[in-house]
Amino acid sequence: MSFGVIGGGNFLLSLLVSAFIQFSFFVGAVLTESEQLYDFAGGLNFVVVFLLTFAMGKEASNTRGLILTVLTGLSRAILAGFLLYRVLKRKGDARFDTARSNPLKFLLFWTIQMLWVFLVASPVIYVNAYGANPDLGSSDYAGFAMIAFGIIFQLVADLQKHQFRANNGNKGWACNVGVWKFSRHPNYFAEIVLWWGAFLVTIRPIDATGDILGLWTAVSPIFTMTLLLFVSGIPLAEGKHLRRFMKTKESKEAYLEYFNSVPPLIPFPPVCYS
């Protein structure tokens, strides 16, 4: 049995790099009193960690790490670009309304993002360090397929919602087009599937090395699920943010019908769910 993952230099380096990136962006945000680059900083952090840990891999040939790095890096680059475009268009992010002028409170957001990146990126960091062997197997292909599905499904969901919101006639109404007909939060579903797929890719290297502590990388999908299901995802979206759908009798009735007929996360035909 090996315990190499605990001493892996890639993990320490990733944490230090994440701290440097987030603190640098935090300083810029304080000086400008603007959080517009917050989500971009998170996406950039992921991509830098992925590329750096792959470049520092112990084996010259790590096909598993290469594919995983490309797929997950692409997913973070797409998401970061989309979120940056959205926040620039909105000219602000309501999450920071009470923290923007308080440096210590502001710092908390960037510190949380640093830890979020480090924990969620852990399967990629692990595979880039220890994933050259054995050869690719069924769990790897299943994991890659889940990641690819997550990328595409999330992109489709985000674009469909963006197009819906771009129509001024839809202001105050819940998005119920495309994949949003089958899930109230299809983007969250895609994100969860993506990181379970990334964890699945660690299974064969962990099994081959006997590095049982490598299973700690399951923190990536578990942490993602916890955030989206119980902390900052669905609780916020279906909590105080619901006020925008309750401004008229018609929009309120439409939302309540949508809420009662469409599943919260896993896509499912409304007629079966209701």
Side-chain angles (χ1 to χ4, degrees):
M1 181 182 296
S2 167
F3 298 97
V5 66
I6 296 301
N10 275 15
F11 282 93
L12 177 59
L13 177 64
S14 297
L15 184 59
L16 294 176
V17 167
S18 297
F20 174 78
I21 291 175
Q22 295 305 319
F23 185 73
S24 298
F25 274 92
F26 161 71
V27 171
V30 169
L31 294 176
T32 60
E33 291 191 5
S34 171
E35 74 291 339
Q36 291 187 330
L37 294 180
Y38 180 76
D39 289 316
F40 177 78
L44 177 66
N45 197 158
F46 273 109
V47 173
V48 170
V49 165
F50 294 163
L51 294 178
L52 188 60
T53 55
F54 179 74
M56 292 183 62
K58 295 181 179 181
E59 301 290 339
S61 177
N62 185 351
T63 303
R64 178 180 286 106
L66 175 62
I67 297 174
L68 184 60
T69 295
V70 170
L71 286 175
T72 52
L74 177 63
S75 77
R76 297 307 89 182
I78 292 173
L79 184 60
F82 176 78
L83 293 177
L84 178 62
Y85 166 78
R86 189 178 69 177
V87 76
L88 289 176
K89 189 172 182 179
R90 292 179 176 177
K91 304 187 185 306
D93 190 328
R95 290 176 297 177
F96 299 90
D97 286 347
T98 61
R100 198 175 291 114
S101 59
N102 185 331
L104 289 179
K105 195 171 183 179
F106 209 18
L107 178 60
L108 180 61
F109 281 90
W110 301 86
T111 303
I112 291 173
Q113 179 155 259
M114 176 196 72
L115 295 174
W116 168 65
V117 171
F118 177 70
L119 294 175
V120 174
S122 59
V124 185
I125 300 171
Y126 182 88
V127 169
N128 282 343
Y130 306 101
N133 294 301
D135 292 338
L136 296 178
S138 56
S139 60
D140 298 300
Y141 296 122
F144 295 147
M146 289 171 67
I147 297 170
F149 169 82
I151 294 172
I152 296 171
F153 200 76
Q154 187 173 60
L155 180 60
V156 169
D158 287 338
L159 290 177
Q160 287 178 340
K161 188 172 185 178
H162 175 71
Q163 187 176 28
F164 181 86
R165 291 277 173 251
N167 184 342
N168 289 331
N170 292 327
K171 187 175 181 179
W173 296 79
C175 179
N176 61 350
V177 299
V179 295
W180 298 84
K181 292 180 180 179
F182 307 101
S183 169
R184 301 201 300 272
H185 304 282
N187 50 341
Y188 296 163
F189 170 73
E191 183 78 357
I192 291 170
V193 170
L194 190 156
W195 291 113
W196 274 114
F199 170 69
L200 199 56
V201 178
T202 69
I203 298 301
R204 283 177 63 78
I206 290 173
D207 181 61
T209 61
D211 188 5
I212 192 171
L213 291 185
L215 292 173
W216 86 272
T217 55
V219 71
S220 172
I222 293 173
F223 186 63
T224 299
M225 289 180 65
T226 301
L227 283 179
L228 295 180
L229 299 182
F230 306 110
V231 183
S232 63
I234 293 178
L236 282 180
E238 298 191 349
K240 64 179 182 180
H241 292 170
L242 285 187
R243 288 177 294 182
R244 56 184 168 168
F245 303 133
M246 305 295 174
K247 293 183 178 180
T248 69
K249 179 181 178 181
E250 292 77 12
S251 64
K252 179 178 180 180
E253 290 177 348
Y255 177 78
L256 292 176
E257 181 181 355
Y258 176 72
F259 182 88
N260 291 323
S261 61
V262 178
L265 187 69
I266 301 174
F268 210 72
V271 66
C272 298
Y273 178 78
S274 59

